Amino acid sequence: MTGPRMIPDCVIPLRDEHAQKQSTRQLLADVFPSWNIDRIDVMSLKGGITNCLLKCTYKAGTPQEIVVLVRAYGRGTGSIIDRNREFCTHVHLHSFGLAPPLHARFKNGLVYGFIAGRSVEYHELSNPMLTKGISQLLAQWHTVLDAKAIKTLMLEQSGLKSHDIVDDIWQLCQKWISKLPTDSDAQAKTKAVLAKELVWVKNEIQYKGGPTVVAHCDLLSGNVIVPEDWSSEKLANMPPVTFIDYEYSLPTPRAFDLANHFMEWQGFDCNVSLIPTVGGPMMREWGKQYLEATHIFKRGSCEKQQNGVPVREADIDLLMQEIRTWWGMPGFYWGIWATIQAVISTIEFDYANYAQIRLSEYWTWKQDYLSAKKLNCESNL
């Protein structure tokens, strides 16, 4: 197959399990004409809170076994996620060996290669061997991926003009805020407050997050894949790590991707005790490994050196300051997102409460940020 198949009329149902499996089998028979539809097994996977993920196995248990994934988008998610960007980002990632092959795109989802392994648990994200693998792979993303190449592919695929494409996190947040409901006075007030906050936070931190990179933007534990038999108790080995799910990938300052990943250490349970301290020993070591790997990939070497490239303490200090400055943005970003999901999603998840929790992270950060700014001003008087 020279490229992903386009099957624009196929729709995979989200709720009716029987119809879902039947539609998925027919889809795969169209994508892979040599497959016998009666030999395709379909199993629903859990993990995400927006999409339906199906593991599909052809000729299970035989030497000819082939496994692919079918992802059907959650209802209404197209209004907050640019599916064309997701598709083009996946194609670009695959060209670097950073994503599985993309077999097909249908009306409400994708068919792509299966990565053997398991997603990690959020309490494993602090494991020293896992942090090393994640930091090095994220450094590769941030160094070798080309935002301009992805945008060029998007323009070719969509026929849109350049100014029609959301290019950064500020434009995306503005788009999301415009979609917030205003059915009640409380909702209208929330929308107005967040619109005002977006202007303020953009003016404050826009250019303080380091270089703009192609960021994952959703690097939670469920999107980090390791070998099935790897255990967080086995500290002696660093597992090969793969990132999945690129629907939120976007050019952003690197500090957002890093801050967001560290915030995800708390999991959906919002166990804040697991979030590392900004500038603390654990985060500094993570940052050191990230910067070492960044230097390696900038020099054109894809081989991991045992001791990496020396990184100055001043470089780590700067990275920590970037993260500290952007520490409130993940809460702001996901707070807006969850407020929309509370209205459009059919998935059983308390988005409204999650929105409040995440936005409270932003308000706490803002208070700390303004206090530090005031102290800095007074010390300079």
Side-chain angles (χ1 to χ4, degrees):
M1 188 180 297
T2 58
R5 290 278 302 276
M6 301 297 176
I7 309 178
D9 296 327
C10 176
V11 176
I12 301 297
L14 298 176
R15 309 292 288 181
D16 186 330
E17 184 176 348
H18 177 72
Q20 184 181 88
K21 290 186 176 182
Q22 289 295 101
S23 297
T24 299
R25 291 190 181 97
Q26 185 58 59
L27 166 66
L28 294 177
D30 291 339
V31 175
F32 306 104
S34 64
W35 287 18
N36 181 337
I37 195 170
D38 295 326
R39 300 292 303 274
I40 302 173
D41 296 328
V42 180
M43 180 178 70
S44 177
L45 300 178
K46 305 298 181 183
I49 58 171
T50 50
N51 303 308
C52 171
L53 190 62
L54 304 168
K55 180 181 178 182
C56 305
T57 307
Y58 180 61
K59 292 187 176 181
T62 73
Q64 294 79 39
E65 179 178 289
I66 301 173
V67 184
V68 298
L69 291 177
V70 172
R71 184 150 60 97
Y73 305 137
R75 191 192 76 167
T77 56
S79 66
I80 57 176
I81 297 170
D82 186 335
R83 295 304 183 184
N84 188 45
R85 177 179 286 281
E86 175 191 14
F87 174 81
C88 295
T89 299
H90 193 138
V91 170
H92 186 66
L93 283 162
H94 180 60
S95 71
F96 286 95
L98 295 173
L102 189 53
H103 300 299
R105 182 181 187 182
F106 55 98
K107 187 170 184 177
N108 69 326
L110 300 171
V111 181
Y112 50 93
F114 175 73
I115 299 174
R118 66 172 180 88
S119 58
V120 305
E121 301 294 334
Y122 67 87
H123 56 79
E124 293 181 296
L125 290 174
S126 60
N127 178 279
M129 287 295 102
L130 190 54
T131 61
K132 189 173 183 180
I134 292 172
S135 62
Q136 291 182 347
L137 182 55
L138 196 56
Q140 185 177 8
W141 266 59
H142 290 177
T143 307
V144 305
L145 299 182
D146 185 350
K148 290 182 179 179
I150 294 172
K151 185 171 183 179
T152 297
L153 186 57
M154 290 176 67
L155 293 171
E156 293 172 353
Q157 290 285 324
S158 66
L160 296 173
K161 301 297 183 182
S162 182
H163 63 265
D164 295 323
I165 294 176
V166 171
D167 272 330
D168 60 41
I169 193 171
W170 308 112
Q171 294 175 20
L172 181 61
C173 286
Q174 181 63 60
K175 178 182 177 181
W176 285 359
I177 290 171
S178 72
K179 296 181 180 297
L180 290 174
T182 56
D183 298 328
S184 67
D185 290 343
Q187 288 177 335
K189 182 179 179 181
T190 296
K191 183 172 182 175
V193 168
L194 292 177
K196 183 178 179 180
E197 282 303 310
L198 179 61
V199 174
W200 176 85
V201 73
K202 180 181 178 181
N203 288 336
E204 284 289 329
I205 72 171
Q206 183 176 10
Y207 302 110
K208 301 176 182 178
T212 296
V213 300
V214 176
H216 187 285
C217 294
D218 191 24
L219 203 52
L220 72 167
S221 60
N223 288 338
V224 177
I225 304 298
V226 296
E228 190 73 44
D229 60 354
W230 185 81
S231 168
S232 58
E233 278 72 42
K234 297 177 182 177
L235 301 180
N237 67 308
M238 182 181 75
V241 174
T242 306
F243 300 156
I244 61 171
D245 289 0
Y246 321 117
E247 58 190 355
Y248 295 100
S249 180
L250 189 74
T252 74
R254 67 182 179 188
F256 177 77
D257 218 13
L258 302 185
N260 183 70
H261 172 63
F262 291 127
M263 279 295 184
E264 294 294 355
W265 285 26
Q266 67 184 304
F268 290 129
D269 296 335
C270 297
N271 184 351
V272 296
S273 67
L274 298 180
I275 300 173
T277 302
V278 181
M282 184 177 291
M283 191 180 291
R284 287 185 69 86
E285 179 60 26
W286 196 105
K288 178 176 179 288
Q289 294 168 352
Y290 168 86
L291 291 173
E292 287 174 347
T294 297
H295 292 328
I296 292 172
F297 289 114
K298 281 183 178 178
R299 292 166 61 177
S301 171
C302 292
E303 295 182 2
K304 303 291 190 302
Q305 298 178 11
Q306 187 68 28
N307 298 316
V309 176
V311 172
R312 299 178 305 168
E313 289 298 311
D315 295 330
I316 302 175
D317 291 341
L318 178 60
L319 183 64
M320 295 299 105
Q321 185 55 41
E322 291 171 2
I323 295 171
R324 184 175 290 106
T325 302
W326 275 71
W327 196 240
M329 273 305 293
F332 187 73
Y333 176 91
W334 292 113
I336 300 169
W337 172 88
T339 302
I340 298 173
Q341 290 283 14
V343 177
I344 68 172
S345 180
T346 59
I347 293 174
E348 293 182 6
F349 184 81
D350 192 350
Y351 287 106
N353 182 60
Y354 188 69
Q356 291 182 353
I357 293 173
R358 298 311 304 266
L359 285 171
S360 70
E361 296 171 2
Y362 169 76
W363 296 119
T364 298
W365 165 83
K366 182 179 181 180
Q367 184 177 22
D368 292 342
Y369 177 87
L370 290 174
S371 296
K373 188 175 181 179
K374 181 180 178 181
L375 285 173
N376 187 53
C377 288
E378 290 174 349
S379 67
N380 291 328
L381 291 177

